[in-house]
Structure formats: C-alpha cells, structure tokens
Amino acid sequence: MPKTIFEWDYSDYPGAKTYPHLFKPIQIGNLIIPNRIKYTATEENLNGLDGFVTDQGAAYLAQRAKGVVGGLCFMQGVYMDEARMGQGYVGQAAAWDDKFVPGLKRLADAIHDALAVAGIQLMDCGRVGAVDVEYGHGPSAVPQRLRIFRPMKEMTKDEIKAMIQQHVDAAKRGVEAGFDIMEISGIVGYLVSNFVSSYTNRRTDEYGGDIRGRMQAVIEIIQGVKAVIPEDMPLGIRLCAEELLDDVRGNTAEESMESYKIAEEAGVDYISCTLGWQESIYPVISRDIPMGNWIHLAKRAKEHVKVPISMAYRLFKPELPNEKIGAGELDIWEMCRPMIADPLMPKKVLEGKEEEIRHCVACNLCLARLFRDAPMTCYINPICAHEANAEFADPQPAEEEKEIMIVGAGPAGLECAYLAARRGHEVHVYDKRAEIGGTLNEARHAPYGDDELWTCVEYQKVMCEKAGVNFHLGTEVTEELIEEEMPDSVVLATGPIYPGLAVPGGDSDKIVYLADVMSGKADVGKKVVVWGNRKPGIGCALHLAKQGKKVTLVGKDKTAGFDVNPSFKWRYYIYMRQNGIVAYNDCVIEEISDAGIVVKTYDGYRWPINCDTIVLAQREPNESLKKAVQSEGIELFVVGDALIPRNLSSAVHDGYRIGMRI
Amino acid sequence: MPVDAEKEITRLYKALHSAQDEIGKTYYRWRKVALEFAGDNVKPLDVALRAAEVFGKDIGKSFLPRMNWLKGEEGFMMILGKALAGLWITDGGLATAEKGENPGEIFIKCTRDPWPTWAKEFGVSMEEVALCRERMYQSVLEDVSMFMNIPLKIELEKAISRGQGETVMRLYKTE
Ligand SMILES: Cc1cc2nc3c(=O)[nH]c(=O)nc-3n(C[C@H](O)[C@H](O)[C@H](O)COP(=O)(O)O)c2cc1C
Ligand code: SF4
C-alpha cells in the first residue's frame, strides 16, 4: 500500500475546478502526493556560514510550505563534504555531520506544520562550488569559463568513492531529520551534471567515457542512497534534458535522454527535467524567454522514461501545466521563482484568487545576489528573506490612524498605499494621469518581456481595492490642494523628472521625452540618440531599434545598465548588439545642432553624431512639492524615483518600507 | 563649437600610441626589477619566459567565454587565430590571421611590431622578444586546449627583425 502523509480534499475549492489536473493526486514510488505542485529546492543564502539552519531560513521555507497546499516542498540543496568543495553558496545548508540533523529537522517540521510533503535535496555544487576554498572538484580539471568560479581539481577514484559515500551519509541524515522524499541535484553545472556531461568529464576510467560511463558515479549515488532510505521514501533526480552546451561540445539531446533512462534503471522514482548550465551562452529563465518555452522537453522526457516527470522553467501561470498534465505530457508542476515572488502562489490558484498573485518578473536578481554572497532578495517581493521579521512579514495596525495623501499612483505609491491602508490609515492616492501605473505605463512597451513588469501594478491595484484605498486620478496635486486637505502625512511618489539639456541647442525641436516616445505620441526620426544609459534608456533604445531606427545610446554612467542586475544585464548587451545599437558611455552631450549632437567623453574627446531625434531618458530626483509639504509642517516621505531614480524594485521596496512604518 | 575631426583623431591617435608605448616600457622596467630580485644565478631569458607564461595563462582565461565550437573545427580555429592576432594588435602590432593549406591550420602574421624597438631601448635581445611572444601564446592555448578538449599548438616560424619584415606563427591541432 502506498503511503499517504496528509489527506487533502480540494473538491470545494474553485481552483480545483478550473485546474483539475493540478489538484489531483499522484503516486511517486510508494508515496501518494495529494496534488501536482512542487516548490523546487532553492538556495537563499540564509543559513549560517557554518551551514547551520537559521530562523530566517526556517521562516522562509515555512511560508513556501503553506503555498504548496499539501504538495511537495523542498528545502534547498545541502552540501555534504566537510572540506566544503561542494559548497556553492556562503549560506548553503550543510549535511556533512550528524550535528546538522536538528536544524534539518526544523525545516522538515516546518513543512509538515503546513501539511505538505517535505523534501530534501543533496547537492554537491562541483564546478560551481568551493565558494570559500581554493579549488573545486570534478571528474576532470576542465578550466572554468566564468572567472567567478574556482579552478578545478580532478577527483581521484578514492575521492569519487568518498563523494558517493557522502551522499549516502547525508541521505541517512535526511531520513533522521524526518523528510518524506529525497532528491539528487544534477542541474546547471553542479557535480552530478559535471560527471554526466562530455564537456566536463574527460575521464578514461570507469567513471568516464561514453554516457553510461559518465553516469557511473550517478548510478552508484542512486543505488547507495536507495539502500539507506525507507521503501516508502521516493528518490528523485534533477537532470538536464538539454545542457545547451553545444558550443563547448557538451552532451547531445540523445545523450541527455540516455542519462534519464540510466537513472530510471538505477532506481529513481521520478525525474525533474531541467536545462541549461551556468556556463551556457543561451538564456533559459530570464524575462526575454517566453513563458512555457521549454515545456516540450517534459514531453520528450516522458517519451523516454516511465517514472513521473516534473518540470519548472518559466511556468509562471497555472494554465499551461494544467493542460500539459491533462495531456499526459508532464506530471508535476515545479516552481521556484514564482514562489520566491509569492510564496502562496499555488494556494491562491487553488482558492480562486489568482488576481492576488504577486508575479515574478524573471529578472534573476535573486540569483545574482547568491553569486555575490548576499542573502537572497526578490526584486518584486519586499518580504522575501524577511519572513522571520514580524515588522516585514506581518505589519501591525498603526498606533495612530492618519490621513495620508500619496502623490503618484506608480508602483512606489501603490505599494505604500495598500500597506498603509491595511494598517488602518485613511489613504488617498492622487495622480495627474487618468490611470494608475506611473511611468510603468510606458516602460512596459520595451521589448524582450517588459510587458510582464505590468503584473506588479495589476497586483497592487487589487491590493489597494481590498484595503480600501481612495483614488483621485486625473487630479494634479498643488500647494493649494495640500493646504486645503491638510493631511497628516504626505508621501511623494511622483516619479523622476527628465531635465532638459542645458547645452547650446538645448531648445532644439529634435528633443522629445521618453514617455512620449514609449507611448507612441512623439514623432521620432530614423536616426535617434537616446540620452541616458540606464534601464529606461536601454528599453527605449531597443524599442526604437525594433522599429528599424538607427539608435545611439549616450549616457553618463561608465557602463550601460548600471541599474540592471548582472544576471540580466548581459542579455541587454547582446540585444543591443543584435539591434545595432551603439552605446557611448561615460559621455555627455555637449551641443545640439541641426545635424545632430556632439558627444564628449569624460576625458574630453568629441565627435559628432547625426540624428533627427534626441530622447531624454536621463532621470533626476523630483523635488517638487517637497517645500510646500514641509512649510505646512506635514510629515513627509519621498519614495521611488522621486527620491533617487532607480528601478521598479526600489520603487516597490521603498513603498513597502514606508507603508509598514508610517 | 563644431568638431574639428582632424584635431580629435590626432589627439586620440597620439594618446593611444603613447599609452601603448608606456605599457611596453613599463614591462621592461618591471623586467629590470624582477631580474634584480632574481639575482645573478638566474638567466634573464628564464625570468622573461616565466612572465610570458603567467601573462598567457591569465589571458587564456579571458578567451574561454568566447570559445565556440558551433562553427566546426575550421571556424573555431579561425576565431582563435583572430583572437591571438587581436591580442598582438592591442599590444601595438599589425597582425592578421590567415588560413593555412592544411585543415585547421592558421598562420598569425605580424608585419609591424613595436616590441623589438622597446626591447632595444632596454638592452634586451630581439630573440627574447620573439620567444616570449611564442611562450605567451603557448600558455594562452593551454587552458583553451583543456577547455575545448582539443590539443592545440602554436610555433614561431619566422621572427621579425627590428620593426621590419614579418613574424609568422603557426597555429594547429596536433591530432
Ligand atoms: C535563487 C535560486 C536558487 C536556486 N537553488 C537551487 C537549488 O538549491 N537546487 C536546485 O536543484 N535548483 C535550484 N535553483 C533552480 C530552480 O530550482 C529552478 O529549476 C529554476 O529556477 C527554474 O525554475 P523557475 O522558472 O520556476 O524559477 C535555484 C534557482 C534560483 C532562482
Ligand atoms: S528576484 Fe526577480 S526573478 Fe527572482 S523571484 Fe523575484 S522577481 Fe522573480
């Protein structure tokens, strides 16, 4: 008889009717999982530097456990060697000794408290490891493509045997800690994938050679772990269906499917279908890749093996996984970033509250932070990684109820508005525009997935409505209005200003504003200079280049996209190149003439650029109304780009922080 | 103020060449320091070759992100050859990569090189200049060979005399 850990009945929930395939049980090995939802293992750098679980880590996971509504909730991958060669992140949880069991048990308990199925993942980071030691280990010492990773040492046979034993020992600790399901991580360049890939495994002994030889270490891990875990504890593995390493002679798709079959033969009970490596030159999960782009790989996997197939990778909405599960092309819907951004995402789907989901915008800031040894942060979710901090996670009603005037219905103002209203304040949001969303109304027209940024405003709108925020759209706030209303507090969320160019020819009629260009109101010529080399300028340059215009980006920052996180910035550089956009960084516009502009570098070189249009995308803080508010003695807060022009994330985080304190 | 193109380009050109000149000379100044520290029992050529190895190793790492097999062996060898020629150009030389007669064979040719002139100023032999470039490129290829799992070699075929003639290096796959 297969084991059931917690009984769940979804029949009364609206989401179970809309998405029937997501909320039906599945048997994995000898365990029944009540639904098809899995929160995938996620490093968050919240553990101690010594690998012990912390309150922050436990609180983070507890929230995600609530979100899976009885499904699978995995803790992050643990490293298993005392020498720490397998440790890829400074705050990665460890399982190389029994002393870690109590901490791991805390996580299993937290998942069980939410009546969800608790999963532990074994993850030696291999090539991506050795975060705090001199060398990484792997099947062969193939030099690193990316400099941020350590040089590699080839493992001896004894070291391979020891590594396999470490997996077995860690598995025993996982069992002792009370987990229900176990997984081996073989994704994105971690040790298991290093053995499997022809790119990184050049061995000629029994652990190398053809795909079977390259799978030998994996087979021994699977069999070793299987031997020490209970019969009703399923074992899964995450393996690449496509490595996307053709440029460095990695595995073919056929070899990858062969690795699936070998893992199945060796005894795994399910396979999580993954793709891409840290070292791949192709993007996999950033916003420029459409949702659902990779789902065909799950179908391919199912054609090769009989065990259940789970998959994540840009499956941010329930429709597609529901459809694919119904069609027998997928078994389990995995999510990582959708549940970083909104831990309760699948719960909201089940409860029929999809409009309340805060959607991930696939910016990859969360990843970028990990690789810079920082605790995880989410671009769009200010509570992420602060779950243990009640001030963030559960802001209390305000001690004194205030009447709050928020000037600006962009993301910063809206975020502040709903939270302040939820805490008992009377909140009035004003905007001179007739619609909410601020500058995002235009920014979302930039190509390569920026329309997804709008989900932030959609979420905030619903939150504001629920919290009873009062809107005064199409109303410009003036000194007189402030005097008339005399609110207790004013939050200026007015967005940035786009100053003109104080140079000869600065009054030229070639000059147009960013917002007018992005909304299609401005007449833009064939040759365009965009002034301002941060994200708004880049978005505008790409938008125009896509219309066939010849675009030059000029800006003061040393590199373009200073405000874009490194895990996304490289995408923009490629797209700029592909679209023929030339960027002159560390430069100013010195002069505007009939023919175009003169650019001047920081060290004084000058040259002309012909253009018909100059777009102002360089932003400055917005000082307007500040004095008026202060002179009335009203409490004042400034948030978002009005304070310092940054990005959507800063707007949301600023808004939230003021909303919880005001 | 209209841009005086001739003036701007001349300024840039002068700045580039004096920067290259300074970099070349700085290398030889450091070489002197290294020899002083190394003492009399060490051959200057050994020190210079070791330095070339260290440079090459580090430069090799920066080649790896760009290595790409998608254009097959011929394409890969040409990209690599161009990268090596490009390195010489950055160093002030005038270099090109040309396809050889044998499959995958590339010749890197430099027709003008400021390094022998700088070397002369510091009393260093031309032979050392040529051997160092060869060693540096060999060292660049070490990581590239390991990374792509292709045994690559580069050899000096002909060395330039002081600023005249042509230096030729042959890049090829050993298997
Ligand atoms: C911040 C972060 C941490 C991750 N940590 C792990 C991990 O510990 N183990 C693992 O197998 N995958 C890890 N992944 C990969 C995810 O589990 C997932 O496969 C990937 O993000 C694609 O899914 P998504 O589009 O739903 O985010 C991580 C991903 C992110 C963004
Ligand atoms: S940081 Fe960006 S990619 Fe990561 S979960 Fe948040 S919104 Fe998504």
Side-chain angles (χ1 to χ4, degrees):
Chain A
M1 262 291 275
K3 178 170 143 187
T4 300
I5 300 171
F6 300 110
E7 300 277 357
W8 279 75
D9 176 6
Y10 303 113
S11 53
D12 287 339
Y13 287 95
K17 295 187 179 78
T18 320
Y19 306 110
H21 304 298
L22 297 181
F23 297 102
K24 66 183 184 196
I26 183 169
Q27 181 172 343
I28 306 181
N30 290 320
L31 188 66
I32 302 287
I33 314 296
N35 65 33
R36 304 304 184 94
I37 286 159
K38 176 182 172 197
Y39 173 61
T40 58
T42 306
E43 292 304 327
E44 13 69 344
N45 259 349
L46 293 178
N47 301 288
L49 296 180
D50 45 13
F52 285 99
V53 169
T54 59
D55 290 349
Q56 284 85 348
Y60 171 91
L61 197 62
Q63 273 302 97
R64 274 77 198 166
K66 284 182 203 154
V68 296
V69 281
L72 291 161
C73 180
F74 270 78
M75 71 164 291
Q76 67 190 258
V78 292
Y79 71 95
M80 297 156 283
D81 61 323
E82 187 179 1
R84 298 170 68 199
M85 283 172 132
Q87 182 187 5
Y89 306 93
V90 286
Q92 185 177 355
W96 54 263
D97 190 273
D98 291 346
K99 67 185 179 185
F100 295 106
V101 172
L104 298 175
K105 185 170 182 317
R106 270 185 83 186
L107 299 181
D109 290 349
I111 299 171
H112 288 152
D113 285 348
L115 309 183
V117 180
I120 181 168
Q121 193 189 61
L122 311 177
M123 187 166 87
D124 184 310
C125 294
R127 249 173 116 64
V128 187
V131 65
D132 232 2
V133 292
E134 237 180 301
Y135 287 94
H137 62 184
S140 309
V142 176
Q144 294 283 9
R145 185 175 222 180
L146 305 174
R147 278 197 191 227
I148 52 167
F149 299 123
R150 305 273 181 204
M152 295 295 294
K153 272 199 172 148
E154 178 170 321
M155 294 167 89
T156 63
K157 266 197 216 174
D158 283 347
E159 284 166 346
I160 294 175
K161 295 280 179 211
M163 174 275 291
I164 293 165
Q165 189 57 44
Q166 283 156 7
H167 277 77
V168 174
D169 294 342
K172 284 190 214 158
R173 293 183 189 113
V175 174
E176 204 187 324
F179 285 93
D180 312 306
I181 182 166
M182 194 161 292
E183 185 172 271
I184 298 160
S185 182
I187 73 169
V188 295
Y190 297 137
L191 189 66
V192 161
S193 59
N194 302 161
F195 271 93
V196 181
S197 180
S198 51
Y199 161 48
T200 42
N201 187 343
R202 315 268 173 85
R203 298 182 79 94
T204 49
D205 62 10
E206 68 267 36
Y207 292 110
D210 63 6
I211 184 67
R212 199 153 274 276
R214 302 201 299 274
M215 279 294 284
Q216 184 55 34
V218 187
I219 295 170
E220 290 180 32
I221 294 172
I222 294 169
Q223 290 173 345
V225 169
K226 267 272 176 186
V228 297
I229 62 175
E231 282 236 318
D232 54 16
M233 183 179 214
L235 174 67
I237 189 164
R238 301 195 86 184
L239 280 177
C240 266
E242 266 184 23
E243 293 179 328
L244 305 180
L245 290 174
D246 297 350
D247 61 318
V248 286
R249 308 206 289 171
N251 285 352
T252 60
E254 291 72 35
E255 285 176 311
S256 292
M257 283 303 105
E258 193 58 29
S259 74
Y260 275 46
K261 285 199 236 166
I262 296 169
E264 183 179 46
E265 273 167 37
V268 294
D269 300 300
Y270 73 93
I271 298 176
S272 163
C273 182
T274 71
L275 75 147
W277 274 39
Q278 311 278 16
E279 293 171 66
S280 309
I281 52 170
Y282 306 101
V284 173
I285 58 170
S286 41
R287 194 163 60 240
D288 47 328
I289 299 300
M291 288 188 207
N293 196 57
W294 307 109
I295 188 72
H296 62 281
L297 294 176
K299 182 176 179 221
R300 186 195 292 168
K302 281 194 70 70
E303 286 161 4
H304 286 82
V305 293
K306 293 191 184 63
V307 291
I309 293 292
S310 58
M311 189 170 186
Y313 295 84
R314 289 288 270 145
L315 295 179
F316 285 14
K317 302 235 164 114
E319 289 82 358
L320 192 61
N322 180 63
E323 181 198 317
K324 295 295 174 189
I325 293 172
E329 295 172 13
L330 173 75
D331 296 299
I332 296 164
W333 175 26
E334 291 182 343
M335 269 166 284
C336 171
R337 294 167 304 155
M339 290 182 69
I340 295 176
D342 191 336
L344 302 183
M345 196 277 203
K347 183 168 187 282
K348 291 175 184 174
V349 171
L350 177 66
E351 291 170 352
K353 296 179 182 164
E354 280 173 63
E355 71 286 358
E356 292 183 26
I357 294 171
R358 200 196 271 272
H359 284 284
C360 165
V361 295
C363 66
N364 291 343
L365 174 68
C366 45
L367 277 175
R369 297 266 302 177
L370 296 190
F371 288 114
R372 273 140 201 91
D373 301 339
M376 190 165 75
T377 284
C378 175
Y379 189 86
I380 210 79
N381 173 10
I383 307 168
C384 176
H386 295 287
E387 288 80 0
N389 179 345
E391 199 195 355
F392 271 87
D394 187 20
Q396 293 302 298
E399 280 170 16
E400 175 200 345
E401 282 179 27
K402 293 179 184 170
E403 196 186 313
I404 299 170
M405 172 188 267
I406 297 184
V407 190
L414 294 178
E415 188 72 23
C416 181
Y418 79 74
L419 190 52
R422 203 188 274 170
R423 291 181 51 240
H425 296 302
E426 184 185 321
V427 179
H428 295 265
V429 176
Y430 291 78
D431 204 302
K432 63 181 172 203
R433 293 179 187 240
E435 68 281 315
I436 62 166
T439 51
L440 212 50
N441 275 294
E442 289 84 31
R444 66 169 154 156
H445 297 305
Y448 303 111
D450 277 8
D451 52 332
E452 278 185 46
L453 300 176
W454 190 249
T455 56
C456 170
V457 172
E458 286 171 339
Y459 163 81
Q460 291 172 326
K461 178 172 180 268
V462 173
M463 292 298 113
C464 284
E465 281 163 5
K466 286 188 64 154
V469 171
N470 306 287
F471 281 97
H472 307 265
L473 300 177
T475 309
E476 179 155 11
V477 174
T478 55
E479 288 186 38
E480 294 72 43
L481 186 65
I482 294 171
E483 247 174 65
E484 215 173 282
E485 294 293 330
M486 278 306 278
D488 300 310
S489 311
V490 170
V491 179
L492 294 179
T494 42
I497 54 164
Y498 298 86
L501 287 157
V503 298
D507 55 355
S508 162
D509 53 13
K510 285 177 189 286
I511 296 175
V512 292
Y513 283 97
L514 175 74
D516 295 334
V517 174
M518 297 305 284
S519 61
K521 282 186 205 144
D523 275 340
V524 179
K526 284 206 174 98
K527 290 184 193 156
V528 189
V529 165
V530 176
W531 164 237
N533 59 352
R534 292 201 174 180
K535 169 71 180 69
I538 294 175
C540 177
L542 290 168
H543 174 71
L544 293 172
K546 285 267 164 214
Q547 296 168 15
K549 310 213 184 273
K550 165 100 194 64
V551 186
T552 307
L553 191 68
V554 181
K556 286 195 278 194
D557 287 328
K558 267 194 178 164
T559 55
F562 175 78
D563 52 342
V564 182
N565 83 69
S567 294
F568 204 94
K569 193 160 32 186
W570 69 284
R571 303 299 313 139
Y572 280 136
Y573 289 169
I574 289 175
Y575 290 132
M576 281 164 55
R577 223 175 26 240
Q578 282 174 359
N579 286 285
I581 297 169
V582 177
Y584 294 120
N585 305 313
D586 224 345
C587 287
V588 293
I589 294 178
E590 198 192 42
E591 179 183 320
I592 299 166
S593 66
D594 287 346
I597 62 161
V598 172
V599 167
K600 188 171 155 199
T601 62
Y602 75 99
D603 51 354
Y605 293 100
R606 302 159 71 245
W607 64 91
I609 299 173
N610 286 342
C611 67
D612 326 302
T613 308
I614 300 155
V615 185
L616 297 181
Q618 173 70 31
R619 301 164 301 166
E620 297 289 339
N622 193 339
E623 299 286 327
S624 61
L625 295 177
K626 231 167 140 178
K627 281 209 182 89
V629 178
Q630 280 164 336
S631 66
E632 295 295 338
I634 301 171
E635 183 182 42
L636 170 71
F637 301 93
V638 187
V639 292
D641 287 352
L643 181 67
I644 307 169
R646 287 154 293 160
N647 52 25
L648 172 61
S649 179
S650 308
V652 172
H653 284 242
D654 276 10
Y656 192 87
R657 277 165 198 249
I658 297 303
M660 74 190 205
R661 283 180 194 144
I662 198 165
Chain B
M1 196 184 27
V3 176
D4 179 342
E6 188 184 342
K7 194 173 128 205
E8 295 294 331
I9 292 169
T10 312
R11 272 180 68 210
L12 256 174
Y13 169 89
K14 279 187 183 157
L16 172 69
H17 288 169
S18 53
Q20 278 173 341
D21 200 44
E22 267 313 300
I23 289 167
K25 286 179 183 164
T26 302
Y27 166 77
Y28 286 107
R29 290 172 194 137
W30 268 105
R31 180 183 174 283
K32 255 172 114 173
V33 177
L35 291 183
E36 265 175 47
F37 274 91
D40 294 339
N41 295 332
V42 176
K43 278 203 243 151
L45 181 63
D46 290 344
V47 174
L49 289 175
R50 179 71 193 122
E53 254 168 46
V54 172
F55 296 164
K57 185 87 185 157
D58 194 59
I59 293 166
K61 285 191 200 318
S62 66
F63 272 39
L64 302 187
R66 286 176 283 155
M67 292 298 104
N68 193 326
W69 192 252
L70 293 178
K71 290 193 178 141
E73 185 178 313
E74 295 272 305
F76 168 75
M77 293 299 284
M78 189 41 110
I79 292 171
L80 184 58
K82 281 188 176 162
L84 293 171
L87 192 58
W88 216 328
I89 294 169
T90 311
D91 284 346
L94 213 69
T96 53
E98 288 169 23
K99 206 167 157 310
E101 276 175 14
N102 302 316
E105 183 184 53
I106 304 287
F107 288 100
I108 294 146
K109 297 182 177 171
C110 181
T111 48
R112 197 187 156 101
D113 188 358
W115 286 80
T117 310
W118 295 324
K120 188 179 179 191
E121 261 184 61
F122 288 81
V124 176
S125 74
M126 281 187 300
E127 187 197 6
E128 181 180 307
V129 176
L131 291 176
C132 281
R133 183 149 299 267
E134 182 189 45
R135 181 65 63 88
M136 181 169 86
Y137 280 5
Q138 283 167 349
S139 176
V140 166
L141 292 188
E142 260 173 42
D143 268 11
V144 176
S145 296
M146 279 224 282
F147 183 73
M148 297 302 293
N149 207 11
I150 302 168
L152 295 164
K153 271 207 159 179
I154 190 158
E155 277 160 7
L156 187 66
E157 298 245 309
K158 193 167 104 183
I160 202 165
S161 56
R162 252 197 245 280
Q164 298 295 315
E166 190 176 62
T167 301
V168 180
M169 297 183 102
R170 177 172 170 250
L171 169 69
Y172 62 101
K173 212 180 104 184
T174 54
E175 269 175 356

